[in-house]
Amino acid sequence: MNIALILSGGTGERLGAGVPKQYINVQDKPIISYCVEKISAHAQIDAITIVADKRWQEDLKGWIKKADRKKKFRSFSQPGVNRQMSILNGLEDISRYAEEADIVLIHDAARPMLSDEQITACLTEIKGHDGVLPVLPMKDTVYMSEDGKRVSSLMERSKIFSGQAPESFVLGKYLEANRRLLPDKILEINGSTEPAVMAGMDIAMIAGDENNFKITTQADLNRFCSIVKERRAGCESVDTI
């Protein structure tokens, strides 16, 4: 079984919209709905668990009814004190209805441009591995600074990659890798794949998708709004032919 874990636990309002970014409406539906629609419609996804704060779960239930057309939603999980604790909470809940050998696909609700191809790659390329991480090559020259003030050394750009979501992991191995970091080390984790690497899991890299950007700034939100508006206009044009 392949289970999607959608992270929507953030409560920050850095974009000034009065609501967390994943719940901002774009063309009459919240950003998270775009993720749920894409993941629910994918033939290889069997179930969905969403990490979300309790204050938003009632609203989410209404949105899910429209977005989860294949009826794959199984449960909510509670957010943790940081992103990785939210993931662990989700993994623990998923382990109650899934098997250790099942695959968990972890994605951010604030990445609404997820493609079918990226989901497929994460679920198929994991065969023979413990996990899959989509990556993008570094385009700029990268430097190391020991004190944050002066350049200490030049890093080899060809060996440095930027990680993306979604990431996929063998559920049992990844859950245990996160449990090993309790109670304090897990609070220092910044990326989903870090616990897997620290545990010695075999993580394969696949090509990422530059269009699958995370909405963090107002510029990101504006970019997404423009894309959705253009796509909708295109559909309306086709419909009127």
Side-chain angles (χ1 to χ4, degrees):
M1 181 162 65
N2 298 320
I3 307 101
L5 176 61
I6 301 176
L7 304 178
S8 187
T11 58
E13 300 173 6
R14 285 180 292 176
L15 294 184
V19 298
K21 57 190 175 185
Q22 64 271 26
Y23 304 133
I24 295 174
N25 273 328
V26 175
Q27 293 291 314
D28 301 322
K29 61 184 177 182
I31 288 172
I32 187 175
S33 288
Y34 292 87
C35 294
V36 175
E37 285 177 353
K38 182 66 66 175
I39 291 172
S40 175
H42 198 281
Q44 290 178 259
I45 296 294
D46 301 298
I48 299 171
T49 285
I50 300 176
V51 176
D53 191 272
K54 282 187 176 180
R55 77 185 76 174
W56 288 101
Q57 288 182 11
E58 283 304 313
D59 289 317
L60 274 165
K61 288 177 182 176
W63 298 328
I64 289 169
K65 286 182 180 179
K66 297 179 180 179
D68 182 25
R69 297 175 182 175
K70 299 296 183 179
K71 309 301 180 185
K72 296 180 180 180
F73 175 71
R74 296 288 288 268
S75 63
F76 285 117
S77 291
Q78 291 303 306
V81 295
N82 72 342
R83 184 177 185 274
Q84 202 61 36
M85 278 300 300
S86 292
I87 289 175
L88 178 55
N89 289 346
L91 294 173
E92 295 284 6
D93 291 338
I94 288 171
S95 69
R96 296 185 177 93
Y97 67 80
E99 303 294 332
E100 289 190 353
D102 288 341
I103 304 301
V104 60
L105 181 88
I106 299 175
H107 191 60
D108 297 304
R111 287 185 186 268
M113 293 294 294
L114 178 62
S115 68
D116 291 328
E117 293 77 13
Q118 193 76 86
I119 297 173
T120 299
C122 285
L123 296 178
T124 56
E125 296 301 322
I126 197 172
K127 294 178 181 178
H129 303 282
D130 298 325
V132 166
L133 170 66
V135 299
L136 295 173
M138 296 299 295
K139 295 181 178 180
D140 299 317
T141 303
V142 183
Y143 298 90
M144 172 70 77
S145 175
E146 297 293 345
D147 59 7
K149 298 178 181 180
R150 296 177 298 176
V151 174
S152 302
S153 62
L154 174 65
M155 303 185 73
E156 196 169 344
R157 184 170 61 185
S158 63
K159 296 182 179 180
I160 300 174
F161 299 87
S162 175
Q164 282 192 311
E167 297 137 291
S168 60
F169 304 97
V170 175
L171 175 61
K173 292 183 177 181
Y174 187 57
L175 175 56
E176 182 57 31
N178 280 272
R179 286 172 174 169
R180 290 176 188 171
L181 300 179
L182 293 171
D184 300 321
K185 193 66 177 177
I186 196 168
L187 302 179
E188 302 173 7
I189 301 300
N190 295 311
S192 308
T193 299
E194 284 186 46
V197 174
M198 294 168 69
M201 291 172 62
D202 172 23
I203 307 300
M205 296 195 309
I206 61 172
D209 179 1
E210 290 188 352
N211 293 319
N212 184 26
F213 60 92
K214 186 175 183 180
I215 297 177
T216 303
T217 66
Q218 185 63 49
D220 297 327
L221 179 60
N222 293 342
R223 178 185 175 189
F224 177 61
C225 289
S226 295
I227 291 171
V228 173
K229 186 176 181 180
E230 289 175 5
R231 288 183 176 180
R232 177 163 294 188
C235 289
E236 290 171 353
S237 296
V238 171
D239 290 341
T240 58
I241 294 176

